Amino acid sequence: MKGFIFDLDGVITDTAKYHYEAWRNLGEKLGITVDEKFNEQLKGISRMDSLDRILALGNKENEYSLYEKKQLAAEKNAYYLNLLQGLGPDDLLSGVKEFLMAAQERNIPCAIASASKNAPLILEKLDVNDYFEAIVDPASLAKGKPHPEIFIRAAQLIGIEATEAIGFEDAQAGVDGIKACGMFAVGIEVDEPLIGVDISVNSFCDLDIDKLLEIQRNRHTAQ
Ligand code: BG6
Ligand code: MG
């Protein structure tokens, strides 16, 4: 038994840059500078938790009521959705489509473990819905990444143990979640190095699916 569990933003498509742009824009309005380095801490983190981190950065965590914070988060999301308007199948990151097709040929189930509530919409725009047997609903989780709950749930949804799955992540919070449930971690490293991954690549073009399965199998039996 095997399965692949994918993060979405920054793994399947480069929406991570749009999240950053949308948070930077909201930060400017609030007088808080969200730079690229700080943005690394927001990757993989839910919308409301990201807002809390930004407000804490500007020492403004006690300045807004829950209602106002929900409005700010909605404002960020509206800006983000506007940036997604032109998103289409050409925006899949290189090698992703080929990898998903290779998984399908080998009958290996794939699932999405993303903190994003926009995941179903984005997968539809990219026209890759059919490759995924399951998408974890982040609203159904008690804890976000780096907690492993989302990866454990994804494995359950495709009928395998977490230790039998291979997880793909571009964020440290996600890698930490994958490793916390004994899953094999492939890091998609573009900007910052990811600590604790089993394998690191720049893109799916650098991955040979059969070699990857063999490495994971050897690691699994050695444990
Ligand atoms: C994660 C992103 O995948 O989803 C975060 O890495 C984002 O940057 C989070 O904040 C929540 O996304 P959304 O689309 O529900 O606001
Ligand atoms: Mg990501």
Side-chain angles (χ1 to χ4, degrees):
M1 288 295 285
K2 287 274 172 279
F4 293 135
I5 296 178
F6 300 82
D7 174 45
L8 174 72
D9 298 305
V11 169
I12 301 286
T13 183
D14 194 12
T15 34
K17 68 178 180 212
Y18 298 136
H19 278 297
Y20 172 42
E21 191 177 333
W23 284 127
R24 201 165 36 113
N25 175 267
L26 186 77
E28 263 171 33
K29 283 193 191 160
L30 303 176
I32 303 168
T33 305
V34 177
D35 62 18
E36 220 166 336
K37 188 158 172 41
F38 182 76
N39 184 59
E40 285 301 313
Q41 293 178 39
L42 304 180
K43 288 186 178 173
I45 306 299
S46 76
R47 201 180 303 166
M48 280 307 271
D49 287 349
S50 299
L51 177 62
D52 283 338
R53 287 189 186 200
I54 291 168
L55 293 177
L57 173 72
N59 294 315
K60 292 181 194 280
E61 59 266 58
N62 299 318
E63 285 185 22
Y64 299 93
S65 66
L66 181 59
Y67 176 76
E68 287 168 327
K69 287 205 290 186
K70 282 187 177 168
Q71 280 186 320
L72 291 174
E75 200 179 310
K76 179 267 173 179
N77 193 49
Y79 190 96
Y80 173 67
L81 288 178
N82 202 36
L83 295 173
L84 293 189
Q85 264 183 22
L87 199 77
D90 288 349
D91 294 300
L92 279 170
L93 283 170
S94 18
V96 169
K97 184 71 177 273
E98 292 75 8
F99 192 88
L100 291 173
M101 283 163 49
Q104 198 172 54
E105 275 166 21
R106 289 160 180 76
N107 288 319
I108 298 170
C110 295
I112 292 283
S114 166
S116 174
K117 293 181 174 160
N118 293 303
L121 168 82
I122 291 173
L123 293 172
E124 196 179 306
K125 277 175 171 282
L126 298 170
D127 197 22
V128 288
N129 258 321
D130 291 350
Y131 291 100
F132 297 98
E133 266 183 32
I135 303 171
V136 178
D137 175 7
S140 71
L141 303 170
K143 294 194 171 164
K145 299 172 189 177
H147 194 278
E149 185 180 8
I150 192 166
F151 297 103
I152 296 169
R153 181 77 59 83
Q156 276 169 354
L157 289 174
I158 54 174
I160 60 170
E161 296 292 327
T163 50
E164 294 168 327
I166 298 180
F168 301 87
E169 259 293 350
D170 70 316
Q172 191 61 54
V175 170
D176 293 345
I178 290 176
K179 292 317 297 173
C181 58
M183 201 177 279
F184 188 93
V186 178
I188 311 295
E189 265 184 23
V190 179
D191 305 320
E192 300 285 311
L194 295 166
I195 300 157
V197 290
D198 295 290
I199 285 183
S200 153
V201 291
N202 286 121
S203 92
F204 279 86
C205 295
D206 302 336
L207 280 175
D208 178 304
I209 192 166
D210 295 311
K211 271 192 201 148
L212 174 65
L213 288 165
E214 197 188 319
I215 296 169
Q216 191 265 359
R217 194 166 37 241
N218 291 340
R219 187 77 55 91
H220 191 211
T221 40
Q223 275 167 0

